[in-house]
Amino acid sequence: MSEYRREDTASWDAQEVRRAQEGRQSAPARHPQSHHTRRRRRNPVLGLGGYLLFVLLASAILAGVGWMLGSDFCAFNRGAMEKATVEVTAEDSVSTVAEKLHDAGLIKYKWFFKFYAGISHADRKIGIGTYELNTEMDYRALILGMHNSSGNLTAETVTVTIPEGYTVMQTIRLLAEKGVNTEENLLEAAKTANYDYSFIDNSSEDVTRLEGYLFPDTYQFYMGDSPENVIDKFLRNFDNKFTSDLYDALDALNDRLAQRMRENAFTETEIADAKLSLYDLITVASLVEKETARTSESATIASVIYNRLCSKLYPCLEIDATIQYALAERKEILSNADKGVLSPYNTYTNAGLPAGPIANPGMNSIRAALYPAETDYYFYALDTTGVHHFSETYYEHQNFLNELAGKEEEADQQAGTDDENAEQTGDAADTENQTDGQT
């Protein structure tokens, strides 16, 4: 027994020794592992620094965006002031207005303008019209600059097309029929209101001061629009249409006409007196407008007018349309008495141009007056097809009229024969009906 225990004790001691050795060998391995875990702990100072850096960067970005938006809103840093014209129509919305402002260089951020317009109810302030704006206007000033007291983007509007060749009175009646305003109010504005255009005589209270300048076009008006605003829209359109290039063309036309008058033995005083003003040019254009049967004739009609103005042989224009304008009512056929009417518009009895325009010409007639054809025609008359026949001499013109009269006489005779045949046919029909009735 005692021997067994000694062996057992020895075995146990050997095992303990091995465990002790293994423990000493494994202890250094655990120590480095524990040390490595402590080195990976986050530094609280570095974490706080990163957070603060993020906050600073975000603040800088927000401040930069805020400055850009604020600069656009307040119209900062836009350089030298530049003007821009913006037209607002009945089809526009706040969104399309923002597009136009952006295209004109008046704003940079369309979405931000629309945001401000929404919270400021800009659709109740912006009205239809053409506005002169500039780059020094902030958002609020731009909206107020497009204000129209007659209505806003939500107001009821009407579209009116003015035909070429309409007179002032015809235009006013059409506007009244469309409900733009009353004829009485529009006529009063045409006579007495002041308009800031060099070609309008504000000292006059005659409606004819606007004749020739109510440019024929398609317009949008508010129902019950201000009469002054309505008239101004026409005048502004004319002013925009008659560009600097057309003024240059007028100067060149005057030079050519002066040369022709010198060749025809006019004095320098007469030439100076005959120099065409804008008013004179529009007068010629109105004659072309009323006399032309088709647009392809316009420049040739204009050439006849200028040929006569530059001639001492034919001092009177003898244009029927001027007589029609002078008469109280238009007539299908003018009598000799009509052609002798006492009026400064009568071009049968007065040499040169009539007292002023007789209608509102379109751009085709204006350009024809500026760029007439080069011809030797002094006469024209409508043929049976509704097209003008042009003649260089009085005798050629009379021969054409005689031929035309002969054709008309033949046509009348033929028409009379047809009427007689129709009457006979009618009598036969009546007799047949009577016979049927007696049966």
Side-chain angles (χ1 to χ4, degrees):
M1 288 291 294
S2 61
E3 186 178 356
Y4 175 77
R5 291 192 183 103
R6 281 195 300 270
E7 291 175 356
D8 188 44
T9 302
S11 175
W12 182 84
D13 290 340
Q15 291 175 359
E16 285 299 316
V17 171
R18 285 196 298 273
R19 289 192 189 99
Q21 290 176 347
E22 290 175 357
R24 284 193 298 271
Q25 291 175 357
S26 61
R30 286 193 301 270
H31 179 71
Q33 183 176 2
S34 175
H35 177 70
H36 180 70
T37 301
R38 286 194 302 270
R39 284 195 326 190
R40 283 190 172 185
R41 290 180 181 177
R42 293 181 179 178
N43 190 325
V45 176
L46 292 177
L48 179 61
Y51 174 76
L52 292 176
L53 179 61
F54 175 79
V55 170
L56 290 174
L57 288 174
S59 300
I61 292 172
L62 291 175
V65 171
W67 171 252
M68 289 189 297
L69 295 178
S71 296
D72 196 44
F73 177 85
C74 297
F76 293 157
N77 301 324
R78 291 188 183 170
M81 185 191 77
E82 294 183 8
K83 295 182 179 180
T85 300
V86 175
E87 182 180 8
V88 180
T89 67
E91 285 75 29
D92 278 320
S93 62
V94 169
S95 181
T96 57
V97 169
E99 290 279 354
K100 293 180 177 181
L101 293 176
H102 178 267
D103 294 342
L106 298 171
I107 63 172
K108 291 183 179 179
Y109 307 108
K110 294 178 287 185
W111 68 270
F112 193 53
F113 178 85
K114 288 187 285 185
F115 172 75
Y116 174 75
I119 62 176
S120 63
H121 304 292
D123 59 336
R124 301 177 188 173
K125 302 170 185 175
I126 298 174
I128 296 172
T130 303
Y131 305 100
E132 295 293 331
L133 308 173
N134 63 71
T135 53
E136 291 186 352
M137 291 181 165
D138 59 19
Y139 282 10
R140 183 174 180 273
L142 289 172
I143 291 172
L144 293 178
M146 294 182 287
H147 176 67
N148 190 326
S149 60
S150 299
N152 52 52
L153 292 177
T154 62
E156 184 179 1
T157 61
V158 61
T159 300
V160 182
T161 298
I162 308 299
E164 296 176 344
Y166 257 37
T167 64
V168 171
M169 290 307 303
Q170 287 176 311
T171 301
I172 287 176
R173 292 190 189 103
L174 180 58
L175 293 171
E177 290 173 6
K178 296 293 185 179
V180 176
N181 209 302
T182 66
E183 183 175 335
E184 181 182 2
N185 290 340
L186 290 167
L187 185 58
E188 182 66 18
K191 289 180 177 180
T192 62
N194 288 331
Y195 301 101
D196 190 20
Y197 301 95
S198 60
F199 49 84
I200 296 298
D201 181 9
N202 286 313
S203 64
S204 171
E205 292 192 358
D206 193 321
V207 69
T208 58
R209 70 186 180 132
L210 301 183
E211 199 75 83
Y213 300 117
L214 301 187
F215 192 82
D217 207 341
T218 297
Y219 296 87
Q220 293 169 330
F221 299 102
Y222 292 112
M223 300 293 287
D225 205 343
S226 161
E228 291 80 7
N229 182 61
V230 172
I231 300 298
D232 187 76
K233 185 171 289 190
F234 286 101
L235 302 178
R236 187 186 307 116
N237 194 14
F238 175 88
D239 193 39
N240 291 335
K241 289 287 195 300
F242 207 92
T243 61
S244 59
D245 290 342
L246 298 187
Y247 279 104
D248 292 340
L250 176 57
D251 291 336
L253 173 65
N254 274 315
D255 291 340
R256 294 196 302 273
L257 296 179
Q259 181 58 35
R260 290 180 59 186
M261 293 181 76
R262 290 189 184 95
E263 294 171 357
N264 291 333
F266 282 85
T267 67
E268 289 301 318
T269 300
E270 290 173 325
I271 293 173
D273 291 341
K275 183 177 180 180
L276 299 176
S277 63
L278 174 63
Y279 189 66
D280 296 328
L281 177 77
I282 298 304
T283 298
V284 174
S286 71
L287 300 179
V288 173
E289 185 70 59
K290 299 302 288 186
E291 289 287 287
T292 300
R294 57 181 62 180
T295 56
S296 59
E297 299 179 343
S298 299
T300 309
I301 294 285
S303 75
V304 174
I305 295 172
Y306 290 127
N307 288 345
R308 285 188 168 237
L309 291 176
C310 294
S311 169
K312 289 190 173 183
L313 185 60
Y314 304 108
C316 294
L317 296 179
E318 298 184 354
I319 292 178
D320 289 353
T322 62
I323 305 299
Q324 297 284 11
Y325 188 80
L327 296 176
E329 293 183 2
R330 181 178 177 82
K331 296 184 177 181
E332 290 297 324
I333 299 176
L334 293 174
S335 66
N336 288 331
D338 293 329
K339 294 178 182 179
V341 64
L342 293 176
S343 170
Y345 289 92
N346 188 338
T347 55
Y348 277 86
T349 58
N350 299 304
L353 292 173
I358 62 172
N360 295 291
M363 186 51 68
N364 178 74
S365 296
I366 292 175
R367 295 189 69 84
L370 283 168
Y371 307 102
E374 293 291 335
T375 75
D376 293 321
Y377 296 136
Y378 288 88
F379 303 89
Y380 58 81
L382 281 174
D383 62 18
T384 55
T385 65
V387 178
H388 281 106
H389 176 85
F390 295 89
S391 304
E392 294 184 4
T393 68
Y394 175 77
Y395 299 104
E396 181 185 344
H397 178 60
Q398 284 301 122
N399 287 337
F400 171 74
L401 292 180
N402 291 335
E403 291 176 5
L404 190 62
K407 291 180 181 179
E408 290 178 348
E409 185 177 353
E410 291 178 4
D412 290 341
Q413 290 176 353
Q414 183 63 37
T417 301
D418 292 341
D419 290 342
E420 183 178 351
N421 292 335
E423 288 176 3
Q424 293 175 355
T425 303
D427 291 341
D430 290 341
T431 302
E432 183 179 358
N433 289 335
Q434 290 172 2
T435 301
D436 291 342
Q438 292 175 354
T439 301

PDB file of all heavy atoms in Angstrom, residues 51-78:
ATOM      1  N   TYR A  51     -15.452  65.660 -34.942  1.00  0.00           N
ATOM      2  CA  TYR A  51     -16.837  66.161 -34.907  1.00  0.00           C
ATOM      3  C   TYR A  51     -16.871  67.660 -35.147  1.00  0.00           C
ATOM      4  O   TYR A  51     -17.676  68.152 -35.937  1.00  0.00           O
ATOM      5  CB  TYR A  51     -17.458  65.823 -33.550  1.00  0.00           C
ATOM      6  CG  TYR A  51     -18.824  66.426 -33.359  1.00  0.00           C
ATOM      7  CD1 TYR A  51     -19.943  65.883 -33.994  1.00  0.00           C
ATOM      8  CD2 TYR A  51     -18.985  67.551 -32.549  1.00  0.00           C
ATOM      9  CE1 TYR A  51     -21.194  66.458 -33.829  1.00  0.00           C
ATOM     10  CE2 TYR A  51     -20.236  68.129 -32.378  1.00  0.00           C
ATOM     11  CZ  TYR A  51     -21.337  67.571 -33.018  1.00  0.00           C
ATOM     12  OH  TYR A  51     -22.575  68.134 -32.858  1.00  0.00           O
ATOM     13  N   LEU A  52     -15.973  68.380 -34.472  1.00  0.00           N
ATOM     14  CA  LEU A  52     -15.939  69.827 -34.649  1.00  0.00           C
ATOM     15  C   LEU A  52     -15.564  70.207 -36.077  1.00  0.00           C
ATOM     16  O   LEU A  52     -16.098  71.163 -36.648  1.00  0.00           O
ATOM     17  CB  LEU A  52     -14.941  70.450 -33.666  1.00  0.00           C
ATOM     18  CG  LEU A  52     -15.327  70.378 -32.179  1.00  0.00           C
ATOM     19  CD1 LEU A  52     -14.201  70.932 -31.310  1.00  0.00           C
ATOM     20  CD2 LEU A  52     -16.618  71.154 -31.931  1.00  0.00           C
ATOM     21  N   LEU A  53     -14.650  69.458 -36.691  1.00  0.00           N
ATOM     22  CA  LEU A  53     -14.259  69.723 -38.075  1.00  0.00           C
ATOM     23  C   LEU A  53     -15.445  69.538 -39.019  1.00  0.00           C
ATOM     24  O   LEU A  53     -15.674  70.345 -39.934  1.00  0.00           O
ATOM     25  CB  LEU A  53     -13.115  68.792 -38.475  1.00  0.00           C
ATOM     26  CG  LEU A  53     -12.615  68.942 -39.924  1.00  0.00           C
ATOM     27  CD1 LEU A  53     -12.078  70.363 -40.157  1.00  0.00           C
ATOM     28  CD2 LEU A  53     -11.540  67.905 -40.226  1.00  0.00           C
ATOM     29  N   PHE A  54     -16.217  68.483 -38.797  1.00  0.00           N
ATOM     30  CA  PHE A  54     -17.409  68.245 -39.623  1.00  0.00           C
ATOM     31  C   PHE A  54     -18.411  69.393 -39.480  1.00  0.00           C
ATOM     32  O   PHE A  54     -18.986  69.869 -40.464  1.00  0.00           O
ATOM     33  CB  PHE A  54     -18.065  66.926 -39.222  1.00  0.00           C
ATOM     34  CG  PHE A  54     -19.353  66.661 -39.938  1.00  0.00           C
ATOM     35  CD1 PHE A  54     -19.361  66.179 -41.236  1.00  0.00           C
ATOM     36  CD2 PHE A  54     -20.577  66.932 -39.329  1.00  0.00           C
ATOM     37  CE1 PHE A  54     -20.548  65.967 -41.900  1.00  0.00           C
ATOM     38  CE2 PHE A  54     -21.771  66.712 -39.983  1.00  0.00           C
ATOM     39  CZ  PHE A  54     -21.747  66.222 -41.293  1.00  0.00           C
ATOM     40  N   VAL A  55     -18.616  69.843 -38.246  1.00  0.00           N
ATOM     41  CA  VAL A  55     -19.549  70.935 -38.006  1.00  0.00           C
ATOM     42  C   VAL A  55     -19.077  72.207 -38.716  1.00  0.00           C
ATOM     43  O   VAL A  55     -19.871  72.926 -39.345  1.00  0.00           O
ATOM     44  CB  VAL A  55     -19.711  71.192 -36.494  1.00  0.00           C
ATOM     45  CG1 VAL A  55     -20.489  72.480 -36.240  1.00  0.00           C
ATOM     46  CG2 VAL A  55     -20.415  70.012 -35.836  1.00  0.00           C
ATOM     47  N   LEU A  56     -17.791  72.474 -38.660  1.00  0.00           N
ATOM     48  CA  LEU A  56     -17.260  73.664 -39.309  1.00  0.00           C
ATOM     49  C   LEU A  56     -17.412  73.595 -40.824  1.00  0.00           C
ATOM     50  O   LEU A  56     -17.786  74.579 -41.481  1.00  0.00           O
ATOM     51  CB  LEU A  56     -15.778  73.847 -38.936  1.00  0.00           C
ATOM     52  CG  LEU A  56     -15.501  74.253 -37.478  1.00  0.00           C
ATOM     53  CD1 LEU A  56     -14.003  74.248 -37.211  1.00  0.00           C
ATOM     54  CD2 LEU A  56     -16.086  75.631 -37.196  1.00  0.00           C
ATOM     55  N   LEU A  57     -17.119  72.430 -41.415  1.00  0.00           N
ATOM     56  CA  LEU A  57     -17.266  72.276 -42.862  1.00  0.00           C
ATOM     57  C   LEU A  57     -18.720  72.442 -43.294  1.00  0.00           C
ATOM     58  O   LEU A  57     -19.017  73.104 -44.290  1.00  0.00           O
ATOM     59  CB  LEU A  57     -16.735  70.911 -43.299  1.00  0.00           C
ATOM     60  CG  LEU A  57     -15.221  70.736 -43.265  1.00  0.00           C
ATOM     61  CD1 LEU A  57     -14.841  69.290 -43.569  1.00  0.00           C
ATOM     62  CD2 LEU A  57     -14.546  71.683 -44.250  1.00  0.00           C
ATOM     63  N   ALA A  58     -19.638  71.815 -42.552  1.00  0.00           N
ATOM     64  CA  ALA A  58     -21.065  71.932 -42.880  1.00  0.00           C
ATOM     65  C   ALA A  58     -21.528  73.372 -42.760  1.00  0.00           C
ATOM     66  O   ALA A  58     -22.285  73.872 -43.608  1.00  0.00           O
ATOM     67  CB  ALA A  58     -21.886  71.032 -41.950  1.00  0.00           C
ATOM     68  N   SER A  59     -21.044  74.063 -41.728  1.00  0.00           N
ATOM     69  CA  SER A  59     -21.428  75.468 -41.550  1.00  0.00           C
ATOM     70  C   SER A  59     -20.898  76.331 -42.684  1.00  0.00           C
ATOM     71  O   SER A  59     -21.584  77.232 -43.185  1.00  0.00           O
ATOM     72  CB  SER A  59     -20.911  75.992 -40.208  1.00  0.00           C
ATOM     73  OG  SER A  59     -21.451  75.254 -39.131  1.00  0.00           O
ATOM     74  N   ALA A  60     -19.667  76.043 -43.111  1.00  0.00           N
ATOM     75  CA  ALA A  60     -19.076  76.808 -44.206  1.00  0.00           C
ATOM     76  C   ALA A  60     -19.858  76.601 -45.498  1.00  0.00           C
ATOM     77  O   ALA A  60     -20.103  77.548 -46.253  1.00  0.00           O
ATOM     78  CB  ALA A  60     -17.613  76.401 -44.392  1.00  0.00           C
ATOM     79  N   ILE A  61     -20.242  75.355 -45.752  1.00  0.00           N
ATOM     80  CA  ILE A  61     -21.015  75.063 -46.967  1.00  0.00           C
ATOM     81  C   ILE A  61     -22.357  75.767 -46.921  1.00  0.00           C
ATOM     82  O   ILE A  61     -22.788  76.402 -47.889  1.00  0.00           O
ATOM     83  CB  ILE A  61     -21.199  73.542 -47.125  1.00  0.00           C
ATOM     84  CG1 ILE A  61     -19.844  72.887 -47.430  1.00  0.00           C
ATOM     85  CG2 ILE A  61     -22.201  73.234 -48.233  1.00  0.00           C
ATOM     86  CD1 ILE A  61     -19.886  71.375 -47.411  1.00  0.00           C
ATOM     87  N   LEU A  62     -23.044  75.651 -45.776  1.00  0.00           N
ATOM     88  CA  LEU A  62     -24.345  76.310 -45.642  1.00  0.00           C
ATOM     89  C   LEU A  62     -24.217  77.821 -45.756  1.00  0.00           C
ATOM     90  O   LEU A  62     -25.058  78.490 -46.373  1.00  0.00           O
ATOM     91  CB  LEU A  62     -24.982  75.931 -44.298  1.00  0.00           C
ATOM     92  CG  LEU A  62     -25.445  74.479 -44.165  1.00  0.00           C
ATOM     93  CD1 LEU A  62     -25.948  74.205 -42.755  1.00  0.00           C
ATOM     94  CD2 LEU A  62     -26.540  74.173 -45.192  1.00  0.00           C
ATOM     95  N   ALA A  63     -23.157  78.364 -45.184  1.00  0.00           N
ATOM     96  CA  ALA A  63     -22.953  79.808 -45.265  1.00  0.00           C
ATOM     97  C   ALA A  63     -22.695  80.230 -46.707  1.00  0.00           C
ATOM     98  O   ALA A  63     -23.199  81.266 -47.168  1.00  0.00           O
ATOM     99  CB  ALA A  63     -21.779  80.218 -44.368  1.00  0.00           C
ATOM    100  N   GLY A  64     -21.920  79.428 -47.437  1.00  0.00           N
ATOM    101  CA  GLY A  64     -21.648  79.739 -48.835  1.00  0.00           C
ATOM    102  C   GLY A  64     -22.908  79.698 -49.682  1.00  0.00           C
ATOM    103  O   GLY A  64     -23.162  80.593 -50.504  1.00  0.00           O
ATOM    104  N   VAL A  65     -23.722  78.647 -49.490  1.00  0.00           N
ATOM    105  CA  VAL A  65     -24.977  78.541 -50.230  1.00  0.00           C
ATOM    106  C   VAL A  65     -25.908  79.694 -49.853  1.00  0.00           C
ATOM    107  O   VAL A  65     -26.546  80.307 -50.712  1.00  0.00           O
ATOM    108  CB  VAL A  65     -25.653  77.185 -49.950  1.00  0.00           C
ATOM    109  CG1 VAL A  65     -27.054  77.148 -50.544  1.00  0.00           C
ATOM    110  CG2 VAL A  65     -24.810  76.052 -50.507  1.00  0.00           C
ATOM    111  N   GLY A  66     -25.966  79.981 -48.553  1.00  0.00           N
ATOM    112  CA  GLY A  66     -26.806  81.089 -48.101  1.00  0.00           C
ATOM    113  C   GLY A  66     -26.364  82.413 -48.690  1.00  0.00           C
ATOM    114  O   GLY A  66     -27.195  83.249 -49.073  1.00  0.00           O
ATOM    115  N   TRP A  67     -25.058  82.621 -48.806  1.00  0.00           N
ATOM    116  CA  TRP A  67     -24.555  83.864 -49.386  1.00  0.00           C
ATOM    117  C   TRP A  67     -24.914  83.959 -50.869  1.00  0.00           C
ATOM    118  O   TRP A  67     -25.316  85.024 -51.358  1.00  0.00           O
ATOM    119  CB  TRP A  67     -23.044  83.947 -49.209  1.00  0.00           C
ATOM    120  CG  TRP A  67     -22.421  85.089 -49.978  1.00  0.00           C
ATOM    121  CD1 TRP A  67     -21.652  85.026 -51.085  1.00  0.00           C
ATOM    122  CD2 TRP A  67     -22.560  86.477 -49.675  1.00  0.00           C
ATOM    123  NE1 TRP A  67     -21.287  86.269 -51.509  1.00  0.00           N
ATOM    124  CE2 TRP A  67     -21.842  87.199 -50.657  1.00  0.00           C
ATOM    125  CE3 TRP A  67     -23.224  87.190 -48.672  1.00  0.00           C
ATOM    126  CZ2 TRP A  67     -21.765  88.582 -50.672  1.00  0.00           C
ATOM    127  CZ3 TRP A  67     -23.150  88.579 -48.689  1.00  0.00           C
ATOM    128  CH2 TRP A  67     -22.427  89.258 -49.669  1.00  0.00           C
ATOM    129  N   MET A  68     -24.788  82.831 -51.584  1.00  0.00           N
ATOM    130  CA  MET A  68     -25.131  82.850 -53.010  1.00  0.00           C
ATOM    131  C   MET A  68     -26.615  83.141 -53.213  1.00  0.00           C
ATOM    132  O   MET A  68     -26.988  83.966 -54.055  1.00  0.00           O
ATOM    133  CB  MET A  68     -24.758  81.509 -53.650  1.00  0.00           C
ATOM    134  CG  MET A  68     -23.256  81.282 -53.782  1.00  0.00           C
ATOM    135  SD  MET A  68     -22.851  79.811 -54.761  1.00  0.00           S
ATOM    136  CE  MET A  68     -23.575  78.521 -53.750  1.00  0.00           C
ATOM    137  N   LEU A  69     -27.459  82.488 -52.432  1.00  0.00           N
ATOM    138  CA  LEU A  69     -28.893  82.723 -52.549  1.00  0.00           C
ATOM    139  C   LEU A  69     -29.249  84.140 -52.110  1.00  0.00           C
ATOM    140  O   LEU A  69     -30.065  84.818 -52.750  1.00  0.00           O
ATOM    141  CB  LEU A  69     -29.668  81.694 -51.726  1.00  0.00           C
ATOM    142  CG  LEU A  69     -29.552  80.231 -52.172  1.00  0.00           C
ATOM    143  CD1 LEU A  69     -30.332  79.326 -51.233  1.00  0.00           C
ATOM    144  CD2 LEU A  69     -30.048  80.062 -53.597  1.00  0.00           C
ATOM    145  N   GLY A  70     -28.634  84.572 -51.019  1.00  0.00           N
ATOM    146  CA  GLY A  70     -28.898  85.926 -50.536  1.00  0.00           C
ATOM    147  C   GLY A  70     -28.434  86.980 -51.517  1.00  0.00           C
ATOM    148  O   GLY A  70     -29.106  88.003 -51.716  1.00  0.00           O
ATOM    149  N   SER A  71     -27.295  86.733 -52.162  1.00  0.00           N
ATOM    150  CA  SER A  71     -26.788  87.690 -53.149  1.00  0.00           C
ATOM    151  C   SER A  71     -27.726  87.789 -54.335  1.00  0.00           C
ATOM    152  O   SER A  71     -27.973  88.880 -54.866  1.00  0.00           O
ATOM    153  CB  SER A  71     -25.391  87.270 -53.619  1.00  0.00           C
ATOM    154  OG  SER A  71     -24.471  87.317 -52.552  1.00  0.00           O
ATOM    155  N   ASP A  72     -28.256  86.638 -54.764  1.00  0.00           N
ATOM    156  CA  ASP A  72     -29.192  86.655 -55.885  1.00  0.00           C
ATOM    157  C   ASP A  72     -30.493  87.340 -55.487  1.00  0.00           C
ATOM    158  O   ASP A  72     -31.054  88.133 -56.260  1.00  0.00           O
ATOM    159  CB  ASP A  72     -29.476  85.228 -56.356  1.00  0.00           C
ATOM    160  CG  ASP A  72     -30.122  85.198 -57.733  1.00  0.00           C
ATOM    161  OD1 ASP A  72     -29.670  85.935 -58.618  1.00  0.00           O
ATOM    162  OD2 ASP A  72     -31.089  84.430 -57.910  1.00  0.00           O
ATOM    163  N   PHE A  73     -30.956  87.060 -54.294  1.00  0.00           N
ATOM    164  CA  PHE A  73     -32.201  87.659 -53.810  1.00  0.00           C
ATOM    165  C   PHE A  73     -32.074  89.172 -53.704  1.00  0.00           C
ATOM    166  O   PHE A  73     -32.997  89.912 -54.069  1.00  0.00           O
ATOM    167  CB  PHE A  73     -32.558  87.054 -52.444  1.00  0.00           C
ATOM    168  CG  PHE A  73     -33.789  87.655 -51.827  1.00  0.00           C
ATOM    169  CD1 PHE A  73     -35.049  87.180 -52.163  1.00  0.00           C
ATOM    170  CD2 PHE A  73     -33.693  88.689 -50.912  1.00  0.00           C
ATOM    171  CE1 PHE A  73     -36.194  87.740 -51.606  1.00  0.00           C
ATOM    172  CE2 PHE A  73     -34.818  89.256 -50.346  1.00  0.00           C
ATOM    173  CZ  PHE A  73     -36.075  88.769 -50.693  1.00  0.00           C
ATOM    174  N   CYS A  74     -30.935  89.640 -53.223  1.00  0.00           N
ATOM    175  CA  CYS A  74     -30.734  91.077 -52.991  1.00  0.00           C
ATOM    176  C   CYS A  74     -30.060  91.793 -54.160  1.00  0.00           C
ATOM    177  O   CYS A  74     -29.779  92.984 -54.082  1.00  0.00           O
ATOM    178  CB  CYS A  74     -29.902  91.291 -51.728  1.00  0.00           C
ATOM    179  SG  CYS A  74     -30.694  90.684 -50.227  1.00  0.00           S
ATOM    180  N   ALA A  75     -29.784  91.054 -55.239  1.00  0.00           N
ATOM    181  CA  ALA A  75     -29.162  91.629 -56.441  1.00  0.00           C
ATOM    182  C   ALA A  75     -27.756  92.148 -56.164  1.00  0.00           C
ATOM    183  O   ALA A  75     -27.353  93.200 -56.678  1.00  0.00           O
ATOM    184  CB  ALA A  75     -30.035  92.737 -57.031  1.00  0.00           C
ATOM    185  N   PHE A  76     -26.979  91.397 -55.335  1.00  0.00           N
ATOM    186  CA  PHE A  76     -25.590  91.766 -55.084  1.00  0.00           C
ATOM    187  C   PHE A  76     -24.687  91.186 -56.174  1.00  0.00           C
ATOM    188  O   PHE A  76     -25.003  90.179 -56.795  1.00  0.00           O
ATOM    189  CB  PHE A  76     -25.129  91.233 -53.723  1.00  0.00           C
ATOM    190  CG  PHE A  76     -25.817  91.880 -52.549  1.00  0.00           C
ATOM    191  CD1 PHE A  76     -25.888  91.226 -51.321  1.00  0.00           C
ATOM    192  CD2 PHE A  76     -26.384  93.132 -52.656  1.00  0.00           C
ATOM    193  CE1 PHE A  76     -26.520  91.811 -50.240  1.00  0.00           C
ATOM    194  CE2 PHE A  76     -27.011  93.729 -51.581  1.00  0.00           C
ATOM    195  CZ  PHE A  76     -27.081  93.070 -50.372  1.00  0.00           C
ATOM    196  N   ASN A  77     -23.534  91.815 -56.352  1.00  0.00           N
ATOM    197  CA  ASN A  77     -22.460  91.292 -57.200  1.00  0.00           C
ATOM    198  C   ASN A  77     -22.929  90.960 -58.623  1.00  0.00           C
ATOM    199  O   ASN A  77     -22.556  89.934 -59.193  1.00  0.00           O
ATOM    200  CB  ASN A  77     -21.840  90.032 -56.566  1.00  0.00           C
ATOM    201  CG  ASN A  77     -21.276  90.305 -55.196  1.00  0.00           C
ATOM    202  OD1 ASN A  77     -20.733  91.387 -54.951  1.00  0.00           O
ATOM    203  ND2 ASN A  77     -21.400  89.337 -54.298  1.00  0.00           N
ATOM    204  N   ARG A  78     -23.746  91.831 -59.203  1.00  0.00           N
ATOM    205  CA  ARG A  78     -24.168  91.601 -60.593  1.00  0.00           C
ATOM    206  C   ARG A  78     -23.445  92.511 -61.580  1.00  0.00           C
ATOM    207  O   ARG A  78     -23.792  92.561 -62.749  1.00  0.00           O
ATOM    208  CB  ARG A  78     -25.683  91.818 -60.725  1.00  0.00           C
ATOM    209  CG  ARG A  78     -26.492  90.735 -60.015  1.00  0.00           C
ATOM    210  CD  ARG A  78     -27.962  90.871 -60.316  1.00  0.00           C
ATOM    211  NE  ARG A  78     -28.745  89.885 -59.595  1.00  0.00           N
ATOM    212  CZ  ARG A  78     -30.074  89.888 -59.525  1.00  0.00           C
ATOM    213  NH1 ARG A  78     -30.747  90.857 -60.147  1.00  0.00           N
ATOM    214  NH2 ARG A  78     -30.722  88.971 -58.860  1.00  0.00           N
TER     215      ARG A  78
END
